[in-house]
Amino acid sequence: TKMVETEKHLVFPLVYKLIELALLLPVSTASVERAFLAMKIIKSKLCSTINDDWFNHLMICYTEREIFKSLDDEVITRRFQAMKARKGILPRVSF
C-alpha cells in the first residue's frame, strides 16, 4: 500500500509485481493443498476404481460443497425426472 500511496509502483513495476506475487503465494498454496486433500479423500473412499471424468465431477462437488449444500434436492430431482434422454429412470417422488 505504501508503494501505491507514493506512486513507486509506477517507477518500479517489477518490484511491485514481485511483492504482489509474494503476498498471493500463501493463498494459492493453501487452495492447492485443499484440492489435493479432497483428491485423497475421494480416491481413498472409492478405492481408485473411478474414471477421470467421474473423478473430475466429484472433485468439483467436493471442493464447492458449500454451494452444493445450498441447493434444493427436490429441484434437482424434478429436473432429472423431466429429462427425456437418460440412461436410468428415476422413481417419481411426490411430497
Side-chain angles (χ1 to χ4, degrees), residues 26-55:
V27 175
S28 62
T29 303
S31 61
V32 169
E33 287 177 5
R34 278 194 300 272
F36 275 106
L37 176 63
M39 198 166 45
K40 181 180 174 186
I41 290 169
I42 292 170
K43 278 288 201 178
S44 65
K45 284 186 178 180
L46 297 173
C47 302
S48 302
T49 58
I50 59 175
N51 64 17
D52 288 339
D53 229 14
W54 191 31
F55 181 72

Side-chain angles (χ1 to χ4, degrees), residues 61-93:
C61 292
Y62 187 84
T63 53
E64 302 296 337
R65 62 187 171 274
E66 293 303 318
I67 294 171
F68 283 95
K69 284 180 186 177
S70 67
L71 298 176
D72 184 21
D73 294 341
E74 184 61 30
V75 174
I76 296 169
T77 304
R78 274 194 237 121
R79 178 171 178 180
F80 277 100
Q81 287 174 342
M83 291 172 71
K84 300 296 178 197
R86 59 179 184 260
K87 292 182 180 178
I89 297 174
L90 296 173
R92 299 235 178 240
V93 179

